[in-house]
Amino acid sequence: MSPKAESIPWRRILVEALAIVLSILLAFAIDAGWDSMKERERESIVLQGVLADFQRTRPDLVERLATARRLRHNSVLLRDLLAEAAGQGRIAVPDTVILSVIGAPTFQPATNTLDAALASGEIDLIRDDEIRRELAQWRTTLSDTFESEQEVRRIGTDRLEPMLSRDVALGPYYDIAVSWDAGVVEAFGQARITPTLELSGAVASRAFYQDFAAQGLADLLTILERVEFLIEDQER
């Protein structure tokens, strides 16, 4: 080996090179740790936002479920009254059953955080698989329930209301329908309508979809409560 080669400080060069590599790796590790910490902070913000949305949504969902069950019960009552009295001339029915087959409320929760997280892709920040599954099920159930509610409304608008209008002035019923749905205004008497199997069949069809809507709302409440529990348990 030449004297020139022997004078090269290989040990120092290796130590310095190793130090540079280690500093780069450390910088990467710090960056990765920082990014991970920021992601966890953002995940917590998303989860707390979803929790707050669901907590605000709960009272309206509980009310909608109670209304859906009441509407279906009264629709079934009208269906059976019409079927039993078909062909017997006009009969008196409680105005509550008329109110149950006109119009139709729909449940549209204010889940702004969840919607924004899905649109931005931040939903992927949620690490808990069970929470993600429940949120996916919430969206599917909400869509199915809304379709059922829309069908309930369509049957009322396209079939029932034109038939009922032959016997009943529906204006006063429309005036209080929303308040009555919310349980605020009491019903106001009776109506006389002509019982036919056609009318009974239309009411039966509406009651059929009201049952789907009510079950969907019940499922949504179950999912909501489950998500609330999972998020609160994770944040403890």
Side-chain angles (χ1 to χ4, degrees), residues 38-190:
K38 298 302 290 184
E39 285 185 355
R40 298 293 70 80
E41 289 178 357
R42 190 57 199 163
E43 176 194 26
S44 181
I45 292 172
V46 170
L47 288 174
Q48 288 303 311
V50 170
L51 178 61
D53 283 350
F54 274 23
Q55 289 173 336
R56 286 192 295 269
T57 293
R58 175 194 284 271
D60 185 45
L61 178 53
V62 170
E63 180 182 295
R64 290 293 187 186
L65 175 57
T67 297
R69 287 171 170 168
R70 178 172 52 165
L71 292 177
R72 183 188 181 281
H73 172 81
N74 289 340
S75 293
V76 170
L77 175 61
L78 178 59
R79 177 199 68 189
D80 294 343
L81 287 172
L82 292 169
E84 291 171 3
Q88 297 181 16
R90 299 179 76 184
I91 61 172
V93 299
D95 54 12
T96 51
V97 300
I98 301 296
L99 286 165
S100 296
V101 296
I102 64 172
T106 57
F107 176 62
Q108 296 176 308
T111 51
N112 297 331
T113 302
L114 177 58
D115 295 341
L118 287 163
S120 66
E122 286 192 325
I123 195 71
D124 294 333
L125 294 173
I126 299 176
R127 293 167 294 170
D128 190 299
D129 290 338
E130 192 168 4
I131 293 177
R132 294 179 63 170
R133 283 196 301 271
E134 293 291 346
L135 291 177
Q137 187 60 47
W138 166 271
R139 286 174 54 78
T140 299
T141 304
L142 180 62
S143 176
D144 292 343
T145 302
F146 185 71
E147 287 183 9
S148 296
E149 291 174 329
Q150 289 288 87
E151 185 63 15
V152 168
R153 177 176 291 178
R154 187 195 65 77
I155 293 169
T157 301
D158 295 351
R159 298 175 61 189
L160 285 169
E161 292 167 26
M163 285 190 279
L164 288 171
S165 294
R166 299 168 190 165
D167 294 323
V168 181
L170 293 179
Y173 292 92
Y174 289 128
D175 289 342
I176 71 165
V178 174
S179 297
W180 183 80
D181 284 346
V184 177
V185 177
E186 293 297 327
F188 52 85
Q190 290 186 325

Side-chain angles (χ1 to χ4, degrees), residues 202-227:
V203 174
S205 180
R206 180 170 160 114
F208 178 75
Y209 285 100
Q210 282 175 323
D211 190 39
F212 280 119
Q215 184 57 56
L217 292 169
D219 291 342
L220 285 171
L221 183 58
T222 298
I223 296 169
L224 180 147
E225 292 173 343
R226 181 64 178 162
V227 170

